[in-house]
Amino acid sequence: MESFTAQEDTEDLTADTILELLANRRRRYLLYGLRGRTEPVELSRLAETVAGWEHNVPPDEVAQNDYKSVYVSSVQCHVPKLADAGVVDHDTENHSVILSDTFEQLEPYLEIVVRDEPENSTLQGALDAETKEGLIGSIRQNVAKLKH
């Protein structure tokens, strides 16, 4: 039985929706953690990763209270908001998520705001590892090209 919550028809995200979704750092971190995944991710594992990025430590060194804060806010607030916008599909029975096709509309904006994430952090290291050149490095190169 499929229990992922998803919109039947992909709708265009409005500018207000995009800005609202990306305005919260924890939601951005959840989206960074889901990028490139082809299988649903358990929220508990995703919360460990996000808590590690927020506190600039490896996930296995995250304090229990820090992990719990990320997990609870993700389950109660952030994942439902992303699911309501159609950006993620959320399996409410298994508490797992995966990006939906609608994420493609949001991704270019996520790549712009990544410039403001902390440099020399565990998050930046994870994002740099996503591609050969590194996501942040390639974004900075693209922005430099636009300025010239």
Side-chain angles (χ1 to χ4, degrees):
M1 174 192 286
E2 184 93 14
S3 61
F4 277 100
T5 56
Q7 294 179 342
E8 291 297 317
D9 296 317
T10 302
E11 294 182 23
D12 287 340
L13 296 174
T14 66
D16 287 342
T17 299
I18 291 169
L19 293 171
E20 181 179 350
L21 293 176
L22 296 180
N24 183 277
R25 183 181 71 178
R26 190 166 284 169
R27 273 195 297 274
R28 291 192 310 270
Y29 283 21
L30 288 167
L31 293 170
Y32 296 142
L34 290 170
R35 287 187 66 221
R37 298 197 182 249
T38 58
E39 297 293 323
V41 179
E42 291 180 17
L43 276 175
S44 59
R45 294 192 66 137
L46 189 56
E48 287 175 346
T49 300
V50 170
W53 289 340
E54 285 184 1
H55 297 280
N56 203 30
V57 297
D60 59 344
E61 294 180 19
V62 173
Q64 183 64 24
N65 287 342
D66 296 333
Y67 160 77
K68 186 175 178 180
S69 171
V70 172
Y71 181 79
V72 169
S73 70
S74 296
V75 169
Q76 293 180 349
C77 176
H78 302 301
V79 170
K81 186 176 265 317
L82 292 167
D84 287 346
V87 175
V88 300
D89 294 329
H90 179 207
D91 183 331
T92 55
E93 290 179 17
N94 296 323
H95 290 292
S96 60
V97 293
I98 190 166
L99 293 173
S100 72
D101 291 339
T102 304
F103 175 72
E104 292 175 7
Q105 296 176 43
L106 182 71
E107 189 169 24
Y109 303 97
L110 185 65
E111 290 181 2
I112 291 169
V113 297
V114 75
R115 293 178 297 164
D116 292 330
E117 303 300 355
E119 292 187 26
N120 303 318
S121 64
T122 55
L123 170 64
Q124 184 183 39
L127 294 175
D128 281 345
E130 283 185 6
T131 64
K132 287 182 186 177
E133 300 164 359
L135 175 66
I136 292 176
S138 65
I139 290 169
R140 288 189 176 133
Q141 288 175 359
N142 290 337
V143 170
K145 289 177 188 175
L146 292 173
K147 289 182 179 178
H148 296 288

